[in-house]
């Protein structure tokens, strides 16, 4: 089936792929891929969606694996199906950053020896229903036993996985305090944080209880407008600017897909390409030690 390009990454040097079939089991509410408005509809006809590896490698393009779905879902399919791309990074919303890839093969005496390295990964730290509730910490990514209450005496020995390109942090009208904590946590570890502003299909409402009475309030700072292909409730330019201004002194905080003039495409952004190549160098450096 012919490859369909993601209009957001078009012309940026990044091409997207989805190796799996069907819907993502994570079922994050508001995910563009889940709601029948993806550029890949009908999904039953258009997945997997894989660009031609010969062309991608010849042009030196970087493959963003899973602009829909999750790279930790059916990993046994995802890893072999993407081995053909020289430059690639994996998107996931599950804190398992183990993405080994073959970087060299040597043949001797009828035997093939493979050299594997971890591949760059982008982790969404507050996906789906977690968006306004909690975020994955470094301890979550380091596995069982480190979760919930790392021994303070051991904290200094934690090291972020070398293949973590950046974390993606979803920003909603309701999670200002969580965003501040997540930025502090991850940038203290020198991990870049890319803010992704939530886009809603329906007007987002805040359900609160005031003086014992349930209240339903309109969210401040989000408005109905067009983004890439569809119309959503998306962040207003002034809200976006004030949030970015609040973090202006933190050199590791960036924004995805938004700017003063509304939606921004990857070609005008460059976050992913910059962090991909920085991570690739870091991985190569670490493997020489
Ligand atoms: S961070 Fe920038 S380059 Fe990466 S997906 Fe968002 S808009 Fe595209």
């Amino acid at each position: 089936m012919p490859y369909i390009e993601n209009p957001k990454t078009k012309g940026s040097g990044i091409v997207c792929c989805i190796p799996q079939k069907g819907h993502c089991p994570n079922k994050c509410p508001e995910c563009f891929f889940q709601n029948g408005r993806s550029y890949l509809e009908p999904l039953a006809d258009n997945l997997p969606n894989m660009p031609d590896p010969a062309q991608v490698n010849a042009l030196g393009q970087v493959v963003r694996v899973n602009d829909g779905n999750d790279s930790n879902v059916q990993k046994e399919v995802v890893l072999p199906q993407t081995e053909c791309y020289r430059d690639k990074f994996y998107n996931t919303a599950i804190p398992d950053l183990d993405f080994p890839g073959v970087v060299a093969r040597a043949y001797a005496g009828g035997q093939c020896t493979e050299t594997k390295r971890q591949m760059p990964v982008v982790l969404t730290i507050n996906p789906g229903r977690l968006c306004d509730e909690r975020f994955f910490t470094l301890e979550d990514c380091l596995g069982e036993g480190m979760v919930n209450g790392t021994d303070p005496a051991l904290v200094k020995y934690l090291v972020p996985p070398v293949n973590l390109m950046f974390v993606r942090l979803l920003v909603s009208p309701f999670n200002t305090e969580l965003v501040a904590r997540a930025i502090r946590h991850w940038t203290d570890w020198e991990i870049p944080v890319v803010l992704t502003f939530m886009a809603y299909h329906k007007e987002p409402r805040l359900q609160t209880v005031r003086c014992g009475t349930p209240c339903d309030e309109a969210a401040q700072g989000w408005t109905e407008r067009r983004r890439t292909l569809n119309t959503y409730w998306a962040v207003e330019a002034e809200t976006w600017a004030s949030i970015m201004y609040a973090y202006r002194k933190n050199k590791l905080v960036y924004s995805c897909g938004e700017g003063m003039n509304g939606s921004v495409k990857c070609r005008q952004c460059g976050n992913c390409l910059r962090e991909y190549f920085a991570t690739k160098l870091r991985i190569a450096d670490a493997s020489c030690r």
Side-chain angles (χ1 to χ4, degrees), residues 8 14 64 168 194 255-257 264-266 269-272:
K8 186 180 173 190
I14 298 171
R64 180 182 184 215
R168 188 177 287 284
V194 173
S255 161
C256 167
V264 167
K265 293 192 177 174
C266 298
C269 170
N271 284 336
C272 288

Side-chain angles (χ1 to χ4, degrees), residues 1-7 9 15-22 32-33 38-53 56 63-69 77 81-82 84-85:
M1 78 193 58
Y3 173 68
I4 305 174
E5 196 166 16
N6 183 334
T9 56
V15 283
C16 299
C17 82
I18 300 180
Q20 308 98 318
K21 286 185 179 166
F32 86 102
F33 186 68
S38 157
Y39 70 96
L40 286 171
E41 288 296 335
L43 296 184
D45 295 345
N46 293 324
L47 290 177
N49 188 43
M50 306 295 283
D52 174 14
V56 165
V63 178
R64 180 182 184 215
V65 182
N66 280 311
D67 53 334
N69 218 317
V77 172
Q81 290 301 316
T82 52
C84 51
Y85 302 119

